[in-house]
């Protein structure tokens, strides 16, 4: 057991960690800054684990248990309980028995310690792989309708278009340029596809930014949707986004997606409706320390660091082609390049009417 003075010191540190967590959760402080204020130095990657412990048991669950008697005394009652558990289910492992002991005897053991007891009692499992259970476990997940959306994307060929565009660009780089130190160049098509789909389905699970892969929001459903126990971690997706932006695939990706949409919706470009297009712009606020152009964010009515994403929509409002520009770009600089790009993809003059808002009302446009 801990001496009273040592226990008081551990309680003091746990209380200080609680204050740091409250600063982060309630006031939005930076993780490292908040813990540094109270004399702790931790990695941001370990914060989700600390936060989960605090939410489960309060500040007492943050107590440092190192230095005391790690394992309680193994009584005959505990040994008999272990024998009974193994008699009922011989495949039960040490990791599965440990929480049962905590529930039955309020005694905390390490699975390694229980494993040694099982070996001593000659109750440990046989060496080799465990048999696969015949019954499939049932999981209750959030947003079950997302499986229908994923099926639609796969059926429409959108996922294959995204993946093949990235893989073709990777093959070009391998042939024509010396290989850079990019891990994405060594990844297989299934891995690339899984990461692209994870980014595509993020909004279904209230994940708007890559930071939300750090379990800020519930994300278990995204893992099951992708056929994984858990989705990719933050640093994996952050590195993937950084590397994929260096492939310079924006233009071929826009062209391939436009072809995909035209084939899916069966646009023939024969009637006046099918030759009428609407050009719209969406402002995307960007959180960055880099010096990038600013513009007026219409929804927030503020001058922010933003990117402008211009969409060419068909007569029914379905987006066909997109073009991303800096925040200070005007519609007049994008209007004709977007139209020309679509006609180049299709291979003939298809646009007869282009509808746009008042931002495009410049004299030279009419001229």
């Amino acid at each position: 057991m801990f001496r009273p003075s040592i226990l008081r010191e551990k309680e003091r540190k746990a209380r200080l960690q609680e204050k740091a967590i409250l600063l982060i959760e309630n006031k939005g402080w930076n993780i490292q800054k908040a813990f540094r204020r109270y004399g702790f130095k931790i990695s941001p990657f370990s914060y989700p684990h600390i936060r989960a412990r605090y939410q489960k048991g309060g500040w007492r669950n943050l107590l440092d248990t190192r230095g005391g008697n790690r394992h309680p005394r193994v009584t005959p009652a505990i040994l008999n309980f272990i024998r009974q558990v193994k008699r009922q289910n011989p495949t039960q492992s040490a990791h599965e028995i440990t929480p049962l002991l905590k529930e039955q005897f309020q005694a905390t053991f390490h699975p390694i310690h229980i494993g040694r007891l099982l070996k001593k009692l000659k109750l440990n499992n046989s060496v080799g792989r465990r048999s696969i259970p015949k019954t499939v476990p049932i999981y209750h997940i959030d947003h079950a309708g997302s499986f229908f959306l994923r099926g639609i994307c796969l059926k429409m060929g959108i996922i294959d278009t995204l993946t093949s565009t990235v893989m073709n660009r990777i093959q070009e780089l391998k042939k024509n340029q010396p290989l850079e130190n990019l891990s994405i160049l060594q990844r297989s098509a299934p891995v690339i596809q899984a990461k692209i789909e994870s980014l595509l389905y993020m909004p279904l699970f209230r994940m708007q930014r890559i930071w939300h892969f750090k379990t800020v929001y519930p994300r278990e459903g995204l893992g099951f949707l992708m056929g994984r126990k858990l989705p990719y971690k933050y640093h994996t997706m952050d590195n993937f986004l950084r590397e994929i932006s260096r492939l310079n695939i924006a233009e071929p990706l826009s062209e391939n997606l436009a072809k995909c949409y035209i084939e899916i919706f069966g646009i023939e470009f024969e009637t006046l409706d099918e030759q009428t297009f609407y050009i719209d712009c969406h402002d995307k606020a960007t959180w960055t320390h880099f010096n990038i152009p600013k513009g007026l964010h219409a929804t927030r009515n503020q001058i922010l660091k933003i990117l402008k994403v211009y969409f060419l929509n068909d007569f029914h409002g379905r987006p066909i082609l997109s073009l991303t520009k800096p925040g200070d770009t005007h519609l007049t600089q994008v209007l004709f390049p977007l139209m020309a790009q679509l006609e180049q993809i299709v291979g003939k003059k298809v646009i007869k009417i282009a509808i746009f808002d008042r931002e495009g009302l410049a004299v030279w446009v009419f001229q």
Side-chain angles (χ1 to χ4, degrees):
M1 296 294 293
F2 296 115
R3 293 196 301 271
S5 59
I6 298 177
L7 184 59
R8 284 195 296 270
E9 177 64 18
K10 291 180 180 292
E11 289 181 354
R12 185 185 71 84
K13 290 183 178 181
R15 293 278 193 178
L16 292 177
Q17 288 188 6
E18 180 185 33
K19 292 182 178 181
I21 293 173
L22 294 177
L23 284 178
I24 297 168
E25 298 298 322
N26 297 337
K27 297 187 177 181
W29 277 45
N30 175 271
I31 293 175
Q32 291 177 306
K33 180 181 176 182
F35 277 90
R36 201 182 301 119
R37 177 186 177 92
Y38 296 104
F40 299 100
K41 184 179 180 181
I42 72 164
S43 167
F45 296 108
S46 62
Y47 175 68
H49 176 66
I50 297 174
R51 176 173 171 267
R53 287 172 55 193
Y54 174 72
Q55 290 179 336
K56 187 176 181 180
W59 66 269
R60 294 185 181 279
N61 212 30
L62 300 176
L63 287 172
D64 187 358
T65 57
R66 295 174 296 180
N69 294 329
R70 184 167 296 182
H71 302 294
R73 189 171 64 88
V74 180
T75 63
I78 292 177
L79 293 177
N80 290 333
F81 179 79
I82 294 176
R83 292 190 183 97
Q84 181 181 356
V85 169
K86 292 293 288 186
R87 195 180 303 117
Q88 294 175 354
N89 187 359
T91 62
Q92 201 89 319
S93 66
H95 285 274
E96 295 167 336
I97 294 176
T98 302
L100 299 178
L101 291 172
K102 186 174 183 179
E103 180 182 351
Q104 182 73 17
F105 299 97
Q106 288 74 47
T108 303
F109 293 93
H110 196 280
I112 295 178
H113 185 61
I114 300 301
R116 290 171 182 163
L117 283 176
L118 291 174
K119 187 175 182 180
K120 186 177 180 181
L121 297 172
K122 297 183 180 181
L123 296 174
N124 54 322
N125 297 332
S126 58
V127 180
R129 291 187 177 183
R130 297 177 62 181
S131 59
I132 300 176
K134 296 181 180 180
T135 58
V136 178
I138 300 175
Y139 296 100
H140 299 281
I141 66 171
D142 53 346
H143 298 79
S146 58
F147 286 91
F148 292 99
L149 293 177
R150 188 189 183 202
I152 292 170
C153 290
L154 292 170
K155 184 67 175 178
M156 293 170 67
I158 296 175
I159 305 302
D160 290 337
T161 301
L162 294 170
T163 306
S164 61
T165 303
V166 175
M167 294 306 298
N168 290 339
R169 180 58 179 160
I170 289 176
Q171 296 303 322
E172 291 178 8
L173 289 176
K174 287 183 177 180
K175 290 180 181 178
N176 303 328
Q177 298 182 10
L179 291 180
E180 300 183 47
N181 188 23
L182 298 178
S183 60
I184 192 174
L185 298 178
Q186 313 302 328
R187 297 293 176 260
S188 62
V191 174
I192 297 292
Q193 177 176 328
K195 292 181 179 179
I196 290 175
E197 286 194 84
S198 297
L199 294 173
L200 186 62
Y201 306 134
M202 277 176 55
L204 300 178
F205 302 91
R206 294 184 296 158
M207 300 167 65
Q208 289 87 27
R209 302 173 62 184
I210 299 300
W211 177 264
H212 295 161
F213 275 90
K214 285 193 171 184
T215 68
V216 177
Y217 289 111
R219 59 179 190 142
E220 287 79 5
L222 179 58
F224 286 115
L225 179 63
M226 302 305 304
R228 299 168 54 88
K229 187 175 181 181
L230 286 174
Y232 289 103
K233 294 184 178 179
Y234 161 74
H235 65 275
T236 302
M237 298 307 300
D238 183 58
N239 187 60
F240 177 71
L241 271 183
R242 291 174 185 273
E243 293 190 347
I244 202 172
S245 63
R246 298 177 63 181
L247 299 182
N248 298 323
I249 60 171
E251 186 173 344
L253 191 59
S254 297
E255 293 182 359
N256 293 338
L257 282 176
K259 292 178 182 178
C260 181
Y261 291 151
I262 290 169
E263 293 174 359
I264 291 169
F265 297 118
I267 302 176
E268 298 291 340
F269 303 110
E270 292 178 352
T271 65
L272 187 60
D273 287 350
E274 290 156 347
Q275 294 177 330
T276 302
F277 297 87
Y278 173 66
I279 299 177
D280 193 14
C281 174
H282 296 273
D283 300 328
K284 181 181 179 183
T286 304
W287 289 267
T288 177
H289 296 293
F290 293 100
N291 185 20
I292 68 171
K294 297 182 179 181
L296 175 63
H297 194 287
T299 305
R300 300 175 62 177
N301 196 25
Q302 290 179 306
I303 302 296
L304 301 172
K305 295 178 180 179
I306 63 174
L307 295 175
K308 288 191 174 182
V309 186
Y310 292 89
F311 288 93
L312 184 69
N313 305 279
D314 68 0
F315 180 76
H316 299 284
R318 297 175 295 217
I320 295 179
L321 199 60
S322 65
L323 197 60
T324 303
K325 290 291 184 179
D328 58 353
T329 306
H330 196 269
L331 177 62
T332 53
Q333 301 171 258
V334 181
L335 181 61
F336 290 108
L338 257 180
M339 296 162 59
Q341 189 173 356
L342 178 63
E343 291 176 338
Q344 180 181 359
I345 293 171
V346 178
K348 58 182 178 180
K349 289 281 185 178
V350 297
I351 298 180
K352 283 194 175 182
I353 299 177
I355 304 171
F356 46 85
D357 57 19
R358 62 183 179 179
E359 189 181 358
L361 298 179
V363 175
W364 75 270
V365 173
F366 291 99
Q367 290 175 346

